[in-house]
């Protein structure tokens, strides 16, 4: 199981989802977008938009 962290960057308000084991860093504007991108990177979900 890989460990992920989602943090909000001070000053910018940008959310960063990071997996140090895999070297993946994803930046998004909202927590929900960061979480969805993390799940998609893990292969647990497919993100779609209308």
């Amino acid at each position: 199981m890989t460990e992920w962290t989602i943090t909000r960057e001070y000053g910018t308000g940008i959310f960063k989802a990071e997996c140090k084991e895999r070297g993946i860093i994803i930046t998004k504007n909202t927590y929900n977008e960061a979480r969805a991108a993390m799940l998609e990177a893990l292969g647990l979900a497919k993100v779609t938009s209308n």
Side-chain angles (χ1 to χ4, degrees), residues 9-34:
E9 298 208 350
Y10 181 77
T12 63
I14 298 294
F15 288 87
K16 181 169 71 169
E18 181 176 11
C19 176
K20 291 183 180 178
E21 296 166 13
R22 294 186 182 183
I24 300 171
I25 298 174
I26 301 166
T27 56
K28 295 291 181 179
N29 291 323
T30 67
Y31 175 84
N32 285 339
E33 288 175 349

Side-chain angles (χ1 to χ4, degrees), residues 3-15:
E3 183 177 327
W4 284 78
T5 56
I6 298 179
T7 56
R8 186 173 185 184
E9 298 208 350
Y10 181 77
T12 63
I14 298 294
F15 288 87

